[in-house]
Amino acid sequence: MSADRDRPPEPEDAPPADSRSESSARTSTELLAVRDLRIWYGTDRGPVRAVDRVSLDLAPGQALGLVGESGCGKSTLGRGLLGMLPPAAATDGEIRFQGRNLIGMSPARLRSLHGPAHGMIFQEPLTRLDPLMRVSEHFEETLHTHQPDLTRDEARHRALSALRGMGIPPTRYRSYPHEFSGGMRQRIMIALTLVLRPAFVVADEPTTALDVLVEAQIVRILADLRRNFATALLLITHNLGIVAESCDRVAVMYAGRIVEEGDVRQVFGAPAHPYTRELLASTISLATTELHYIPGAPPDLVDPPPGCRFHPRCPEAMRVCPARDPVDVEVDVGHRAACWLHGPESLVPPGMDARLTQGAIGVADEA
Amino acid sequence: MAARSGSMRRYLLQRLALVVPMVWVLVTLVFLLMRVAPGDPVSAALGGRLSPAALAARRHAAGFDKPLVVQYGEYLRDVVTLNFGQTLTDNRPVREVLIDNGGATLTLTLAALIVAFAVGLPLGRRAGRHRDTPPDVGIRLFGIITYAAPVFFLGLILQLVFGVFLDWLPTSDQAGPVVQAEVPTRTHILLLDALLAGQWNSFVDVLRHLILPAVTLGLLLAGVLIRLVRVNLIQTLRSDYVEAARARGIRESDVVGRHAFRNALVPVVTVMGLQIALLLGGAVLTEETFNWPGIGSQLVNYLNERDYTAVQGIITVFAVAVVVVSLLIDVVSAVVDPRVRY
Ligand SMILES: Nc1ncnc2c1ncn2[C@@H]1O[C@H](COP(=O)(O)OP(=O)(O)OP(=O)(O)O)[C@@H](O)[C@H]1O
Ligand code: SF4
Ligand SMILES: [Mg+2]
């Protein structure tokens, strides 16, 4: 997290930082408050702006789904929130976790949060446990690191009850990881994360590598999390159904930005952003006979399109879209979207709300 | 628990059953290689030194006048009974040569292994953990030099520095002449015999003689070890379970030591097992350089004399050593890595 890396060039028409919707200026009940977070990777081609001025809030026990196409920065955001980025990444902005800003925090203090304050569940359960260590040793090591006063018996007791909660019988406590199936290993990983009772967990596509039945089981477990442990959850997934089933809120990400965020039922029931609508339409449902897909591909994050990142693919793009960055607008209580369709009208110059045609896009890009 | 130890036993039995065909293939190779050389071995070794009649008698005694298949059968019998006949040149039982000199070679190779691990593991770990830093570059350079430098050259430098200039250590033989005469032979391992006889000074003398050859041979292996440990550690440090351990807030020293380093050693055990050939080859050269009375230097002597019977016996023992070590390595892997046992 070296902050001395090359800054990505600031877009000229960037709105001032405080022009964000007032609704996100929350009180101290927040567990996590992210403001204008930017994360970029230094590469030979220039900075990859994987997270571009993201703001969001999470209350204790709340489950937030994070969706969006591949490569739009979901994993980067999730890892950034935990201070677990690779050395090539640089960050800027503010991540206030339990009142302390993680950005600029010393590596030692950051490490002391890993485990007891927050944890991460990964996509690949098969390779996340040390093959040379018994399941019991994983738990003993984890508990001993953070609670050195715990006796062996107490640690064992804690571990077994966490495992039992995930449906792993105590008889398997001293087994090695390779003796378990993928689904069981993911449940062990979840138990290993929850045994420290963290306040916040990021789960990055925790079921992508698993089959459908196991997936349903894991989703149920994650949905139970906030009820039984008061653990806040950021659930990254491509599966909107999982979000609908297990999350309170959802954030839709496109090209490094959160384009829409709100209550799951509100967002899925009345999507405000064209990208969310396209995303929902591309989900297979029994009602559709053919597969809808969004034309084009997400942009290159080294050189993203100006203005609204989605305008080259947006069926409703207007002349203002490539010219100016859309600002967050509260479309309903606790439901925000960044799209010029929702104004604010005061920022759209006269005549700029005309439809953008294919030809006009090229011209606007030139401008 | 019972199931696990059961599968371990089954694994070991399977592995043991493989030893017989492996030894068979290797000794057959040795036999064939020894016959590829043109002419008959006895005249090669003794031609011009004995009368034709005496030569024929020796040839007959060694069995070289029999058909190849019969010779092969007798050779296999020799291997099984560990009786490799008489040397052609000095007419000693080959077994006696092996027993008299084997202890010195065993001492040297074991001491070299200790040096190799004592040098290679910490340096490889350091280089892998602090990749691309000045210590890493220095350690890699050291590893390449010790691996690439010819054994006699490295040995010569050590002899010059520690033997001649500093005059700290002896550079030749396994012990001083008095010690060699005084220590009663029991195990044929001089170091052990000195200890068993309670001759503390003799023990120290043998140890002092051992240092330079052991370091020479040990550094050769340490070069391989450094590279192996470093590469594997870099890989395991990037692995998913290491990242997951960090996400649980495990201390970095534990992440490196308990997770990354231990996992990095699993392939190292296997690859080091394959280096037994390098170890034996290096032992031959080291024994030559330091006039170390092991079977390696005997092998060189008999090769120069074209004593095929002796050479065949010694090489057979080397081949068996390779098989036995590979078995041991597999056992070690099974103990270290739970996945191997299934
Ligand atoms: N270590 C890295 N170095 C350089 N670029 C990276 C690195 N990691 C990710 N990126 C780039 O950052 C962007 C966002 O990647 P990220 O993995 O966060 O996306 P994602 O939304 O999680 O995608 P997916 O759904 O495929 O997991 C991508 O363009 C990716 O190529
Ligand atoms: S801002 Fe314009 S281009 Fe972007 S999503 Fe809204 S309408 Fe489409
Ligand atoms: Mg991802």
Side-chain angles (χ1 to χ4, degrees):
Chain A
M1 276 235 233
S2 51
D4 50 20
R5 226 163 269 278
D6 297 343
R7 289 288 168 88
E10 196 78 43
E12 271 148 40
D13 55 351
D18 56 357
S19 75
R20 291 199 57 265
S21 66
E22 295 306 307
S23 67
S24 55
R26 301 281 165 83
T27 54
S28 58
T29 58
E30 294 294 348
L31 174 77
L32 184 71
V34 180
R35 292 293 172 272
D36 283 303
L37 178 64
R38 295 193 299 165
I39 304 173
W40 61 99
Y41 297 102
T43 68
D44 297 339
R45 302 192 303 125
V48 177
R49 282 171 274 187
V51 173
D52 197 359
R53 277 179 286 129
V54 160
S55 298
L56 56 83
D57 297 288
L58 203 59
Q62 208 172 46
L64 172 68
L66 184 60
V67 299
E69 278 166 293
S70 194
C72 65
K74 303 182 299 294
S75 297
T76 305
L77 176 58
R79 281 158 182 276
L81 296 183
L82 302 183
M84 280 186 46
L85 290 165
T91 51
D92 184 39
E94 189 180 297
I95 303 170
R96 206 155 274 283
F97 177 75
Q98 293 177 330
R100 291 165 294 189
N101 190 358
L102 300 193
I103 292 189
M105 191 179 267
S106 76
R109 284 202 55 200
L110 205 52
R111 202 172 310 129
S112 72
L113 297 179
H114 288 163
H118 58 222
M120 179 146 186
I121 297 162
F122 301 88
Q123 180 176 341
E124 324 77 1
L126 292 183
T127 51
R128 290 294 175 180
L129 292 160
D130 186 331
L132 300 187
M133 274 171 52
R134 296 171 195 277
V135 168
S136 53
E137 292 168 317
H138 283 86
F139 278 93
E140 281 158 16
E141 178 190 48
T142 305
L143 285 165
H144 185 75
T145 299
H146 298 288
Q147 296 172 22
D149 299 336
L150 222 56
T151 66
R152 269 188 88 89
D153 267 359
E154 285 166 339
R156 191 184 137 81
H157 187 77
R158 284 271 297 276
L160 286 178
S161 75
L163 282 170
R164 206 175 302 113
M166 296 300 134
I168 307 286
T171 48
R172 307 295 304 276
Y173 187 48
R174 291 187 49 76
S175 302
Y176 284 97
H178 69 267
E179 300 171 60
F180 294 93
S181 68
M184 286 174 108
R185 280 191 237 184
Q186 189 63 301
R187 282 183 279 149
I188 293 170
M189 282 305 295
I190 295 175
L192 195 51
T193 306
L194 295 182
V195 75
L196 295 170
R197 300 182 187 129
F200 175 44
V201 167
V202 172
D204 191 352
E205 305 195 33
T207 61
T208 308
L210 305 174
D211 69 59
V212 189
L213 287 177
V214 180
E215 176 169 56
Q217 194 179 43
I218 302 278
V219 169
R220 227 170 300 127
I221 287 170
L222 292 176
D224 282 347
L225 264 191
R226 48 201 158 134
R227 282 194 279 283
N228 302 338
F229 294 86
T231 298
L233 174 71
L234 179 73
L235 177 61
I236 300 170
T237 177
H238 289 275
N239 190 329
L240 302 184
I242 291 182
V243 173
E245 198 175 328
S246 56
C247 292
D248 310 300
R249 302 178 66 76
V250 60
V252 181
M253 203 165 175
Y254 185 77
R257 294 182 174 173
I258 289 184
V259 294
E260 179 163 6
E261 195 238 337
D263 181 90
V264 169
R265 275 154 306 175
Q266 276 180 351
V267 172
F268 287 174
H273 198 282
Y275 179 64
T276 312
R277 288 201 278 272
E278 294 287 317
L279 210 56
L280 282 166
S282 12
T283 315
I284 311 167
S285 81
L286 290 176
T288 53
T289 47
E290 62 182 66
L291 202 59
H292 177 90
Y293 62 94
I294 313 175
D300 178 9
L301 295 179
V302 173
D303 184 24
C308 173
R309 304 282 193 247
F310 189 52
H311 82 257
R313 304 169 73 191
C314 179
E316 296 168 69
M318 300 171 290
R319 289 186 57 199
V320 65
C321 301
R324 293 188 171 196
D325 277 13
V327 296
D328 278 337
V329 173
E330 184 147 16
V331 292
D332 202 342
V333 181
H335 181 182
R336 65 171 156 127
C339 168
W340 287 118
L341 288 175
H342 304 279
E345 251 128 65
S346 57
L347 290 179
V348 183
M352 291 287 272
D353 55 355
R355 267 298 166 84
L356 198 62
T357 59
Q358 269 308 85
I361 291 179
V363 176
D365 275 344
E366 229 96 304
Chain B
M1 290 313 286
R4 181 155 39 248
S5 58
S7 65
M8 181 76 176
R9 193 174 313 128
R10 197 177 61 235
Y11 173 79
L12 287 183
L13 285 176
Q14 281 171 355
R15 200 53 200 77
L16 261 174
L18 266 178
V19 165
V20 175
M22 274 172 78
V23 169
W24 176 69
V25 167
L26 272 175
V27 298
T28 303
L29 270 177
V30 171
F31 176 81
L32 290 176
L33 282 175
M34 297 310 296
R35 311 293 130 157
V36 167
D40 89 89
V42 175
S43 0
L46 302 167
R49 277 189 256 171
L50 291 179
S51 69
L55 270 183
R58 280 290 189 88
R59 216 178 337 231
H60 180 71
F64 286 127
D65 54 351
K66 294 177 192 158
L68 213 53
V69 182
V70 177
Q71 287 185 40
Y72 178 59
E74 287 177 353
Y75 170 62
L76 284 188
R77 188 199 60 211
D78 287 354
V79 172
V80 173
T81 57
L82 296 178
N83 163 33
F84 299 100
Q86 305 282 118
T87 64
L88 297 173
T89 42
D90 50 6
N91 216 6
R92 287 168 69 196
V94 174
R95 180 160 42 174
E96 192 184 292
V97 177
L98 292 172
I99 291 174
D100 281 355
N101 300 283
T105 299
L106 198 65
T107 311
L108 173 63
T109 45
L110 286 181
L113 275 176
I114 292 173
V115 171
F117 281 104
V119 172
L121 289 185
L123 287 187
R125 176 174 166 155
R126 188 124 201 229
R129 184 173 176 186
H130 305 287
R131 182 186 185 187
D132 295 332
T133 59
D136 177 29
V137 174
I139 290 168
R140 271 155 74 191
L141 202 65
F142 173 78
I144 290 168
I145 290 173
T146 53
Y147 176 68
V151 167
F152 71 85
F153 179 71
L154 191 62
L156 199 68
I157 294 206
L158 290 177
Q159 283 174 334
L160 276 179
V161 173
F162 294 98
V164 179
F165 294 143
L166 298 173
D167 198 16
W168 285 351
L169 292 168
T171 58
S172 171
D173 240 321
Q174 198 184 192
V178 181
V179 170
Q180 290 195 27
E182 276 186 351
V183 175
T185 301
R186 270 192 247 178
T187 61
H188 291 276
I189 298 171
L190 195 56
L191 199 61
L192 209 56
D193 285 344
L195 211 55
L196 289 177
Q199 298 181 10
W200 183 245
N201 288 337
S202 305
F203 178 75
V204 172
D205 183 59
V206 180
L207 214 52
R208 279 164 47 83
H209 278 79
L210 180 58
I211 291 178
L212 288 185
V215 167
T216 303
L217 184 54
L219 285 185
L220 174 74
L221 280 177
V224 182
L225 200 56
I226 286 172
R227 228 177 2 180
L228 267 175
V229 171
R230 175 181 180 274
V231 168
N232 282 306
L233 185 61
I234 287 174
Q235 202 148 38
T236 53
L237 275 173
R238 277 199 295 247
S239 68
D240 283 349
Y241 50 83
V242 160
E243 191 192 31
R246 289 197 177 119
R248 294 196 297 275
I250 307 299
R251 273 180 293 274
E252 190 60 19
S253 56
D254 288 344
V255 169
V256 174
R258 205 176 295 143
H259 297 274
F261 189 59
R262 248 169 29 120
N263 276 282
L265 288 188
V266 172
V268 170
V269 170
T270 313
V271 179
M272 281 313 279
L274 302 176
Q275 300 297 327
I276 170 78
L278 177 72
L279 179 67
L280 291 177
V284 172
L285 299 173
T286 309
E287 288 179 8
E288 268 300 282
T289 309
F290 288 91
N291 198 20
W292 188 263
I295 43 179
S297 54
Q298 290 298 318
L299 177 67
V300 176
N301 289 343
Y302 285 119
L303 266 174
N304 288 337
E305 305 260 316
R306 295 173 198 281
D307 189 330
Y308 282 65
T309 317
V311 169
Q312 176 173 285
I314 293 174
I315 295 201
T316 303
V317 167
F318 278 2
V320 171
V322 168
V323 174
V324 169
V325 168
S326 86
L327 170 73
L328 285 179
I329 291 298
D330 284 350
V331 172
V332 171
S333 303
V335 171
V336 173
D337 185 351
R339 289 164 299 182
V340 174
R341 305 200 280 257
Y342 289 83

